[in-house]
Amino acid sequence: MRTRRIIYTLVFLAVSIPLLLRWTARVQPSPPVEMAYQAIEALQPGDLVLVGVDFGPSTMPEMNPMYEAILEHLFRKGAKVAILSLQSALDLPNGVQVLEKVARRHNKVYGEDYANLGYKPGLEAVIVSIGQEIRDVFPEDALGNPLDSLPMFQNVHNYDDIALIIDLASGGTYGSWIQFAQARYGAKLITGVTAVMGPETYPYIQSKQLVGMLAGLKGAAEYETLIQRPGLGSRGMPAQAMVHILIILMILYGNWRFWERWQR
Amino acid sequence: MATVIGIWLAALLTLAIFSFLYGDNPFYKAAEHLYVGVSAAFWLLYIWSFTVAPNLLVGIQKQGLLGKDLLLIPLVLGILMLFRIVPKYAWYSRYPMAFAVGLGAGLALTGTTQGLLFPQIQATILHPFHSINNFLLILGVITSLLYFYFSREREGVMGWVARIGIYFIMIAFGATFGYTVMARVSLLIGRVGFLLSDWLHLM
């Protein structure tokens, strides 16, 4: 028990010292993040992008930095951003807060440049319905405004009119977007996932079903490097690196002690 | 003022949960029970407010039971589902369950085949000697699949193939574990960041 408490203390110090001293670390963007960046970079002003906010408070430290970095890039490119959630309505209050913060920074107007479509249960059924007519499932936005009254949705009916879909997911929603929006309707899709989900997402990059992918805080830090705006992701990287070094040292120490005992 | 109270409450509850690392204690227990209780109540209201009310009740008000969306069907299926509470009539709930299972299976079958199986097989049809990555990918897929072929004893060539397969699987597990560690550390960074920044204003 005593050893365990020493380890907890070391981990706490490894996280808090870099945060307190505001250390920074250089991050090299990985190919999937670079691909996501290029896909957004290729957008034209006025293109509509659907952003799925499918992560809740439990994964906010990982997901919020990438969400903010992506929104920053989208608004810089002059894209129209519509957020929605197909996982849980609880995901949206945070999603709206971050969206409005970034929109304010770029002087964007609700309804013209960005909108909140709200939450809709039924995941796969909703994704398939958007392929036919978005108004069938979202006749109004989250504030009750008819979709036709929002200038950014004029002439937008289905995936043919949506330039890009970005699903930021802490669960399986991104899989449904791949299976139905991408495979059935050929929609272009980027996903941002928690680090735990990172390895299971890589095959979709290989199969070109995703045009880009960000995984965890590291993915966010890489994206922040690409848009040259260090944020929460970049600030967390030194602490992350410190804990990784600590874990590696502890594994080596544990193995060395084990080997020493085995020798005796 | 509400923000300050919220931050203090969040900080104290975070510390109460972290206190479990020292040992089980009343603060941890209180925070845990509070979490479970609030979650249960919250989900009940949540399902009513975000699913039943906007999609069924508002719809019935606007278009009636036999309007465009035929809301009579989900209403009846929903009521039948509640029959599970009464053991004598619980079998009525099999109708909505059958509907849900059928819908789910239909969507999963087409979705998985069209969106997962075919594209992934297609992505594995590569020239094996075009690059080292192609070679490793093909080798990894074939040997990992053969590792799960249990109808033949693992002897000779089959034994070697399965052995190579298990190496690939172990590498995948290692990558997953590494990413999991990274994810958990990220969450800790978020919480410690909150305590140092929003609560203590040290950052």
Side-chain angles (χ1 to χ4, degrees), chain A residues 98-163:
Chain A
V98 177
L99 175 68
E100 280 178 351
K101 186 175 93 178
V102 184
R104 260 198 309 274
R105 212 153 58 206
H106 291 267
N107 297 318
K108 298 292 180 184
V109 181
Y110 187 87
E112 284 178 26
D113 305 303
Y114 71 98
N116 169 20
L117 292 178
Y119 161 71
K120 189 65 77 173
L123 188 57
E124 290 94 346
V126 176
I127 296 172
V128 172
S129 296
I130 295 175
Q132 286 143 22
E133 171 59 62
I134 194 167
R135 283 162 188 78
D136 287 348
V137 271
F138 292 104
E140 299 165 340
D141 67 0
L143 304 173
N145 304 308
L147 224 55
D148 285 321
S149 70
L150 304 178
M152 63 183 276
F153 279 101
Q154 301 216 328
N155 303 320
V156 173
H157 296 283
N158 52 40
Y159 292 117
D160 293 340
D161 311 310
I162 296 166

Side-chain angles (χ1 to χ4, degrees), chain A residues 142-190:
Chain A
L143 304 173
N145 304 308
L147 224 55
D148 285 321
S149 70
L150 304 178
M152 63 183 276
F153 279 101
Q154 301 216 328
N155 303 320
V156 173
H157 296 283
N158 52 40
Y159 292 117
D160 293 340
D161 311 310
I162 296 166
L164 186 65
I165 298 165
I166 303 169
D167 189 35
L168 304 173
S170 63
T173 49
Y174 81 93
S176 301
W177 281 108
I178 291 174
Q179 288 180 17
F180 294 99
Q182 193 281 325
R184 193 171 290 187
Y185 296 101
K188 272 174 85 175
L189 187 64
I190 289 174

Side-chain angles (χ1 to χ4, degrees), chain A residues 21-98:
Chain A
L21 299 180
R22 294 166 192 268
W23 289 356
T24 51
R26 262 182 52 193
V27 181
Q28 183 67 33
S30 57
V33 177
E34 181 89 39
M35 285 164 65
Y37 174 81
Q38 292 303 340
I40 294 179
E41 195 61 23
L43 291 172
Q44 298 300 314
D47 279 348
L48 181 76
V49 179
L50 278 189
V51 180
V53 183
D54 293 311
F55 62 93
S58 60
T59 50
M60 260 168 55
E62 269 194 287
M63 304 297 292
N64 255 3
M66 70 171 78
Y67 177 43
E68 193 171 336
I70 284 173
L71 286 179
E72 172 69 31
H73 195 191
L74 287 172
F75 282 136
R76 271 189 207 172
K77 292 297 298 178
K80 315 272 183 197
V81 178
I83 64 164
L84 73 163
S85 177
L86 302 183
Q87 178 179 263
S88 160
L90 298 181
D91 301 344
L92 279 169
N94 164 63
V96 172
Q97 211 174 11
V98 177

Side-chain angles (χ1 to χ4, degrees), chain A residues 1 5 8 22 58 62 88-90 121 140 179-180 183-184 195-196 199 202-204 206-207 209 217 236 240 247, chain B residues 21-22 42 46 50 55 62 107 110-112 114-116 119-120 123 179 181-183 185-190 203:
Chain A
M1 195 65 187
R5 283 176 193 155
Y8 294 147
R22 294 166 192 268
S58 60
E62 269 194 287
S88 160
L90 298 181
E140 299 165 340
Q179 288 180 17
F180 294 99
R184 193 171 290 187
V196 176
Y202 269 92
Y204 299 109
Q206 156 73 17
S207 64
Q209 290 175 280
L217 198 66
Q240 188 100 52
I247 291 170
Chain B
L21 298 175
Y22 188 80
F42 188 85
Y46 169 86
F50 290 103
N55 294 296
K62 279 184 182 170
L107 281 170
T110 52
T112 310
Q114 193 181 11
L116 185 68
Q120 288 302 320
Y179 265 102
V181 169
M182 194 163 83
V185 173
S186 302
L187 298 182
L188 181 65
I189 291 170
M203 278 168 65

